[in-house]
Structure formats: structure tokens, C-alpha cells
Amino acid sequence: MIEDYLGEIFASEVHYADLQESMKYSLLAGGKRIRPILTLETCRLCGGDPEAALPFACAVEMVHTYSLIHDDLPAMDDDNLRRGRPTNHIVYGESTAILAGDALLTAAFGQLAQAKLPAGQIVEAVKCLSRAAGSAGMVGGQALDMAGEGRALNIEELELLQSLKTGALISAAAVLGCIAAGGTVRQRELVSVYAQALGRAFQVRDDMLDITSSPEELGKPVGSDRTNEKSTFAAALGLDGCAALVEELTRQAVETIEHFAEPEFHIWLARSLAARRN
């Protein structure tokens, strides 16, 4: 459902230079699709129709893709490999990559408006995603990440940075599913807590893989955190400490989501991500 929807979004647009090709190059490059799947499955969990949440789900993935394009730029992480392929700016140039990211971010909010849901729920979705993607969320986290290069961050600083840079959008993905289902305030609180623990565990595991994995397995460069002099959970806690933290965060996520009647998928997702190798 997600791949088909994403593939059709820009199919009928007029193409301007390489812009649309650049957008599709990154948007359709595969990946785990964790965020949109989380939106659809959380909608189901809260009693809604996942198909109705599809525009919300794909909007989150568009925001995520834009962030990856910009993160890979020379002014940011300066990476040349993403999902096993050359990064966007390597293929299309820096200016087109920047514009592709800009266009994906803008189009994401247009997708929220495409949902066949009550206007009030769409307004709530816009509020949720804009906060998670902006200076109070993902972009704020990226600013802290760049500012922290070359100095050792303590655990509290690392947790704040990653709760914004990674966790905010994962949390928003779950909350958007609840909004699409017309879920209760209590349901929103529970899925938000679950997703925040999921996002923290995901980032800690990511820091571990930057040390233990290979470019072939990970689909992107390894060791770049060390090269860019970035503080990580792996550097602060060691691999054993990180493994223990991932286990604890996964336990918290599972215990939170067990308040729902049919949490099996969300439990599987948390445990699967905790053990991932790419």
C-alpha cells in the first residue's frame, strides 16, 4: 500500500529540470518504511481503517526522506552512500538535492490534506507533524547535532538531541495513526510513550551499528560519527551499556503498548528493531 501510494504521488506532475527525478530517487529508494507502517498499524490498533491513514503515513515518509537528503549534504554529514546507493547530491548535485528536500517537505503537508477524514482530524495532523518536523522537533535536533560536533556531550544532552532528531518523527508517526482513527486522548498518550521508547532504542542501536556493522550490510557509511567527531550513546556507554539500554527501552515500549487489546504487531516491531543488523 505504501509503495504504491508513494509511487503515484508525483506521477502526474509536470517535470522541471531534474527536480521530480531527484525527489523520486530518494523517496522510492526503499528502506524499512518504519514510520508509515507505524502510522497504519497504530490506526488499526486504535480501531480505525489503515487505508484512511495512508496519506498521513506517506506524509511522514516524505518528511523523513527530505531529512535524509539534507543530512547527507556536504554541509551536514557529507555522506556519499544511502540505502546502498549514491546519495542524492552525488547523483543530482547539491542545489537540486536541496530543492528536492524542500519540495518533499512542502508536498508532505499537501498529502495530509488529501486524507478523506474530518477536517478537525486533518488540522490535528498538521499540528502534530509540523511540530515534530520543525524547530521543536527534528530540525531542532539536527541543530543540536551540528552544534555538538567536536565536543563530548553528556547523556542528558544526547537524550535531548536524539529525542528531537530521531524520536520526534517516530512519535509523530504513531500519533498520526491514532488521530486518523479518531482515538482518545489516553490512546494518544500511550502510543506516544511507546513510540518515544521505540525511537530512543532505535537510535541507540543505530549508534552501535555505526561501530559493529559494514557499509554493505548497513547500506551507508560506517564510522562517520567518529569521523565527524559526534558524541554517541556508543561512545558514552560502550557497546554493553548500549545493549542494556536497548533492552530496557524495548521492555518499556512493550509494557506500554500492552494496554491495548491487540498489540502483537507493535510488540513484534519493538523487538525486531532492537535486534536489527541494518
Side-chain angles (χ1 to χ4, degrees):
M1 288 170 63
I2 292 163
E3 296 302 324
D4 289 347
Y5 191 99
L6 290 173
E8 292 296 321
I9 288 176
F10 303 111
S12 61
E13 279 198 357
V14 176
H15 286 207
Y16 298 107
D18 291 335
L19 178 62
Q20 279 75 15
E21 286 79 2
S22 175
M23 294 162 69
K24 290 191 291 185
Y25 177 82
S26 293
L27 185 62
L28 304 181
K32 302 176 188 65
R33 306 301 195 202
I34 292 166
R35 293 155 189 82
I37 289 170
L38 186 56
T39 301
L40 298 186
E41 286 296 335
T42 302
C43 180
R44 189 196 311 276
L45 183 73
C46 296
D49 175 11
E51 192 166 352
L54 199 52
F56 287 8
C58 291
V60 176
E61 188 66 6
M62 292 164 76
V63 171
H64 177 55
T65 301
Y66 122 75
S67 75
L68 298 181
I69 294 173
H70 283 193
D71 279 359
D72 290 335
L73 289 167
M76 298 288 183
D77 290 347
D78 195 15
D79 283 330
N80 58 15
L81 193 68
R82 170 73 66 177
R83 292 172 176 166
R85 305 197 303 173
T87 47
N88 197 293
H89 69 274
I90 295 295
V91 178
Y92 294 98
E94 289 182 44
S95 59
T96 298
I98 292 169
L99 293 172
D102 293 344
L104 284 167
L105 173 61
T106 307
F109 288 91
Q111 285 306 309
L112 294 180
Q114 296 295 319
K116 299 185 185 306
L117 291 167
Q121 286 166 248
I122 293 174
V123 170
E124 283 296 309
V126 171
K127 180 180 178 181
C128 173
L129 186 56
S130 62
R131 180 175 179 81
S135 58
M138 185 180 68
V139 174
Q142 180 68 3
L144 291 177
D145 191 21
M146 300 304 296
E149 287 187 0
R151 67 185 185 90
L153 303 181
N154 61 40
I155 290 296
E156 289 75 20
E157 290 174 315
L158 273 173
E159 287 180 345
L160 174 60
L161 187 163
Q162 298 301 349
S163 71
L164 298 175
K165 182 179 178 180
T166 303
L169 199 60
I170 291 177
S171 181
V175 172
L176 284 169
C178 188
I179 291 172
T184 65
V185 172
R186 176 59 174 160
Q187 286 178 323
R188 287 195 202 184
E189 290 173 349
L190 288 171
V191 298
S192 178
V193 171
Y194 163 84
Q196 287 168 14
L198 191 78
R200 287 182 64 199
F202 184 91
Q203 184 57 53
V204 175
R205 184 66 180 154
D206 215 46
D207 287 357
M208 296 171 69
L209 292 173
D210 192 60
I211 295 173
T212 63
S213 190
S214 65
E216 293 74 21
E217 191 169 26
L218 205 56
K220 61 182 181 179
V222 297
S224 57
D225 290 335
R226 186 166 54 253
T227 301
N228 293 328
E229 298 183 302
K230 290 189 177 185
S231 296
T232 66
F233 286 103
L237 301 174
L239 291 177
D240 289 344
C242 284
L245 181 55
V246 168
E247 183 178 351
E248 170 60 21
L249 290 168
T250 302
R251 182 193 64 78
Q252 292 175 15
V254 169
E255 288 184 355
T256 300
I257 212 66
E258 283 178 335
H259 286 85
F260 288 87
E262 298 179 355
E264 291 79 11
F265 174 84
H266 288 69
I267 292 172
W268 170 84
L269 180 63
R271 290 174 175 164
S272 174
L273 293 179
R276 70 189 175 95
R277 297 191 59 83
N278 60 28

